[in-house]
Amino acid sequence: MHRSNEYISFFLDRFDVIYRNISIIKHETITHILADLKSSLEINFNLKKKIYSIVNELLENTLIHQSGDDSKVEIAILKSENAYRVITFNTSSLDESYDLLEYSSNINALSHSELKTQYKEKLLTGEINQKGTIGVGMELIRLKSKNKILISTEEYDDKRMIIIDVKIDID
């Protein structure tokens, strides 16, 4: 994925790439990536748990919202002295990408306490949508990372490349 190389190159003076995978996303792929991370990340338990759950949520969201059964997703994990970045690259329909941008903008505008309240409310009273979820994935990612979620898109043909970049500070 040429565009992913361009995006990641912006960070290479401050971050090292410690994990990278490009695959057609299926449940088996997610299981493989998570097992790979579990065995390869040599960091403290709490940080590993954060990264692991964020990666899981990003990949599950990609699986649910992917543009086709043969769509590839790329995941990269970068590390610096004081932070990690988990970045995914995948394709989506134009409509789904507009919804994601609007949704992420709304949750990024919330304070931590507002976000926590919205997350709890959705868990308690949210309805399951047509994709089989209650739509708390991005809230969970933002709560776990304690940072805003950066989302970029690039349009080509009738699809969009979605870049989701989650920064996790090392406490």
Side-chain angles (χ1 to χ4, degrees):
M1 294 184 144
H2 175 69
R3 289 175 174 96
S4 64
N5 289 331
E6 289 176 5
Y7 187 87
I8 290 172
S9 70
F10 289 114
F11 299 102
L12 292 181
D13 61 332
R14 295 167 286 144
F15 285 83
D16 295 321
V17 177
I18 62 167
Y19 185 83
R20 202 160 182 184
N21 183 300
I22 301 173
S23 331
I24 293 175
I25 195 75
K26 299 179 186 280
H27 284 291
E28 301 82 38
T29 311
I30 295 171
T31 302
H32 170 74
I33 290 170
L34 293 173
D36 209 14
L37 286 176
K38 191 174 185 180
S39 65
S40 66
L41 287 179
E42 307 266 337
I43 54 178
N44 77 56
F45 176 75
N46 288 332
L47 187 54
K48 185 184 263 192
K49 186 171 73 169
K50 255 187 219 184
I51 292 172
Y52 188 88
S53 64
I54 288 169
V55 167
N56 184 52
E57 197 60 49
L58 286 169
L59 293 176
E60 288 288 337
N61 283 351
T62 299
L63 179 64
I64 291 166
H65 300 289
Q66 67 185 339
S67 60
D69 289 339
D70 61 346
S71 296
K72 288 188 177 181
V73 64
E74 179 172 355
I75 183 165
I77 301 176
L78 288 61
K79 178 186 178 192
S80 72
E81 284 184 27
N82 57 0
Y84 284 85
R85 293 188 101 87
V86 177
I87 307 168
T88 58
F89 305 86
N90 63 291
T91 57
S92 176
S93 69
L94 294 176
D95 289 340
E96 290 240 354
S97 68
Y98 291 128
D99 292 345
L100 178 63
L101 288 169
E102 183 179 343
Y103 182 63
S104 63
S105 177
N106 291 338
I107 66 168
N108 278 339
L110 299 174
S111 69
H112 183 75
S113 62
E114 291 169 331
L115 181 65
K116 205 170 185 178
T117 300
Q118 179 173 306
Y119 176 73
K120 285 180 182 177
E121 184 67 26
K122 278 187 174 182
L123 283 178
L124 294 172
T125 62
E127 295 199 17
I128 296 175
N129 65 23
Q130 70 275 12
K131 301 234 180 196
T133 69
I134 56 173
V136 295
M138 296 305 272
E139 284 97 339
L140 182 62
I141 291 167
R142 183 152 175 249
L143 285 168
K144 292 259 183 206
S145 70
K146 299 180 183 168
N147 287 304
K148 293 185 178 185
I149 300 169
L150 304 175
I151 298 183
S152 307
T153 63
E154 280 191 38
E155 193 171 328
Y156 61 96
D157 298 329
D158 63 338
K159 297 188 182 208
R160 276 210 172 162
M161 173 174 278
I162 306 287
I163 303 167
I164 302 177
D165 184 342
V166 181
K167 183 180 173 204
I168 304 154
D169 297 319
I170 296 173
D171 298 329

